[in-house]
Amino acid sequence: MSRSQRTAAFIAGRLASVVLTIAGATLLLFLMVRLVPGDFTSVMLGPRATPELRAQITHDMGLDRSMLEQLWLFTSRAATGDFGEDVVSHRPILDIVLDVIPNTLALAFSALALALVVGIPIGVIAALRPGSWLDNGLALLSISLITTPTLVVSVILFLIFAIGLHWLPVAGAGDPGDLVDRLRHLILPSVALALGWVGYISRLVRAALLDTLAELHVRTLRAYGVSEYRIVGLYALKLALVPVVSILGIGLGDLIGSSVVVEIIFARPGIGSLIFNSIAQRNFPVVQACVVFIVAFYIVANLVVDMINALLDPRIAAGRG
Amino acid sequence: MAISLRDLSVDYTLPQGTAHALRGVSLDIRKGQMLGLVGESGSGKSTVAFALMGLLANNARVTSGTATIEGRSFDLTKRNATADLRGRGMAMIFQDPMLSLNPVFTIGTQLCEVLRRRAPGSDRKTRVAMAQDALAKVKLSNPQRRMNQYPHELSGGMRQRVVIAMALLSEPALLIADEPTTALDVTVEAQIMREIIGLRDRIGCAVLLITHSLGLVTEYCDAISVLYAGEKLESGTVKEVQRQPGHPYTRMLFDCEVPIDCERHADASENRFTVIAGELPDPRQRPPGCIFNGRCDVSFEDCAVIDPGDYPIGNHAGHSARCLRLQTP
Ligand SMILES: Nc1ncnc2c1ncn2[C@@H]1O[C@H](COP(=O)(O)OP(=O)(O)O)[C@@H](O)[C@H]1O
Ligand SMILES: [Mg+2]
C-alpha cells in the first residue's frame, strides 16, 4: 500500500470505531440517567403535584412506557437528530442544546488554545536548562496552577477583574450580534479554564522533551552543529508533542467537566450550565441530549487528536507507532 | 599531522565513585589516512570520540587533553571547546543507524539542516539539490524519492548511508566513525566501508575508525592504536604492528586468543577468561604498574610495580608499545 492508502485505511478504521463508541456510550448513558434518584415530576411540581398532573407529564416524557420501548424511541429519534420536545419550555430539545453549544465550544477551544500557546513555550524553556533556577521556578508556577481548583481560580479572577477593577464584564456570554462584546465576555472564563491546563501542558511538554532529548538522533544533530534552540524547539519538540497530544485527547473530557464550573460562576449559557440546571430539575431528556453531544464531541476530538498525531509522526499512520 | 590528540584523560562521576575511563591517550592521524582504534567493549573507544566532538555525557569530566586539528589547538578540558568544529571541521558516523536519525522528519529535512551550518546563506533549493547530490554520491538508490521519505522507510544500511551523506555534506577535516558497521548485517559491512573510504578520498579528510574488529582494521586502515581499559597500549602502522606486535595484548589479539568481537563471537566470549586468566581492572581503582598485568602471560615482578612508558619498536617511527619488556636497559 502507498502512504496515502495507508492513511486512508487508518482514517476509515478510526471512523468506524467512532460510530460504535457513540452507539455504546448512548446506551450506557440512557440506562444511567434512569438510575438517578428522584423524578422530574415531583422535583418540578413540588408539593403542588396532583396525580393527574404527574401522570400527564410522565406520559409526555414517555416515562410510562417500558424501558426497551423508551430506549428504542430515544435511539431511533436521536439518530435522526430528534431529541423530542422539552416539557418545560415546549421547545425542541435539539434547539435548546444547539443554542448553547457554540458558547461552550468557544470557551473550550479558546481555553485550549490559550493553554497550548502559553504552556508549550513554558515547557520548552524549562527543558532547555533542566535543574536551573528558571526550571525550578517554572515548576513551582506550573504545579501551583495545576493544584489550584478551577473553582478557586474562577472566583479570584471574577472578584479581581470583574468586580474589583471593572475591566471585564461580570456575567453572561455577551450580545449575540456584537463580536467584540462576546470576546470580552469570553476572556475571564477561558483564562479561568486554561490556567490549570497551562501548568499541566508545560509539565507534560517538559517531561516529554527531556525524554526525547536523551534519544540518539538528538546526538546526531548536535554532532553536526545544529543549534540547541533548533534541536529543542523544532526537532525534539515535534516528537515530544505526540504523547502530549495523546494526553490532551483524554483530558478534553476534563476540560468540558471544568467548563460546568466556569459557566455557572460566570453565569454563561453553555452545555455545562444546561446540564447542571437540567439535573437539578431531573429533566432527563435534556440531560440525555446534552450528554450525547458531549460524548460525540469527546470522540470527534479524540479522532482529531489521532489525526494530528498521525501527521506529527508518520510511523503512526504506517501502523508502526 | 592533520589531527593530533594529546594526553586525553576522562573521568566519569558515578554514585559509587569516579571511574577513570581514559588515561593519557594520544593519537595522530594524517590527512587522507584512516586510523583504526581497536579495543574491547568498554575500553573507552567511544569516550575518545565524544571527547573530541565535545559530546560527552553530563557526568563526564575531561581532566587533560589537547586536540590539534588543521593547525588550531583546542583545550578539551573546556566543555564545548570544539563546538565550533561540529558539522564543519569534524563529522561523525554512529554505531546505531536505526536510532541516529529523527523519526518524524524526512531524510531531506535532516540533510538540509546540516547544510544550514555548512553552507550558510544558501537558499532552500540549493540545499535540496546539494543534499540529493550527496545521497547519490553515497550510492543510495533513487535519491530524489529518498529525500521525502522518513527514516522508518529505510533499512539500517540505507540509514547509515544517509548519515554518511551528512558527513559528506559537512566536508570535515576529521571524520569519526564509531563502529559504523557493528549494528549492520555483515553483507552491508563492505559497502558501508567502501562509502566511508569514498568520502575520505573525495574530501581528503583524516578518518578515525573505531571498531572492535581487527579484520576491518587490517583491511581498511593505514594505522592502528590499541586501547585497553582506557590506556593506549600500542600504536603504529597496520603493517608494522601486524608484523611485529610489541605488546602482549596486541599479540593475543592478532593470535585471536582474546575474542575482541564479543557480539559476533558470543560463543567464544564464554571461555574468554579461561584463555587468559584475570579480569579487566576496576576503572575506579587503577592498579599500580602495567594495566594489563593481571591478564598478561609474560609478566615479571617489575610489571606490578613500575608504570611502563611508551617504548619505540624497531627503527620504524611511530611504532611504540607500553610494555616494560621493550625498555632498553
Ligand atoms: N555516561 C557514563 N557514565 C559512567 N560511565 C560511563 C559512561 N559512559 C561510558 N562509561 C564507562 O566508560 C568506559 C568506556 O566506555 P566507552 O567509551 O563507551 O567504551 P567503548 O566505546 O570502547 O565500548 C566503560 O567502562 C563504560 O562503562
Ligand atoms: Mg562504543
Side-chain angles (χ1 to χ4, degrees), chain B residues 45-46 95 178-179:
Chain B
K45 305 183 296 295
S46 296
Q95 176 166 352
D178 187 1
E179 314 212 25

Side-chain angles (χ1 to χ4, degrees), chain B residues 12-14 19-22 39-48 50 57-60 95 178-179 210 227 283:
Chain B
Y12 286 110
T13 313
L14 294 166
H20 306 286
L22 293 176
E40 292 166 74
S41 183
S43 56
K45 305 183 296 295
S46 296
T47 305
V48 172
F50 289 117
N58 284 327
N59 64 335
Q95 176 166 352
D178 187 1
E179 314 212 25
I210 291 173
L227 205 58

Side-chain angles (χ1 to χ4, degrees), chain A residues 38-92:
Chain A
D39 77 304
F40 175 76
T41 50
S42 52
V43 172
M44 191 182 81
L45 302 170
R48 293 168 299 140
T50 63
E52 294 77 30
L53 254 176
R54 278 187 182 207
Q56 176 64 43
I57 287 175
T58 306
H59 178 74
D60 287 350
M61 291 175 81
L63 297 175
D64 52 350
R65 299 176 201 235
S66 77
M67 281 285 262
L68 221 57
E69 231 177 317
Q70 288 184 44
L71 179 62
W72 165 246
L73 276 176
F74 173 70
T75 41
S76 57
R77 285 182 187 157
T80 62
D82 175 13
F83 291 92
E85 189 179 83
D86 179 27
V87 196
V88 184
S89 64
H90 296 289
R91 290 180 61 206

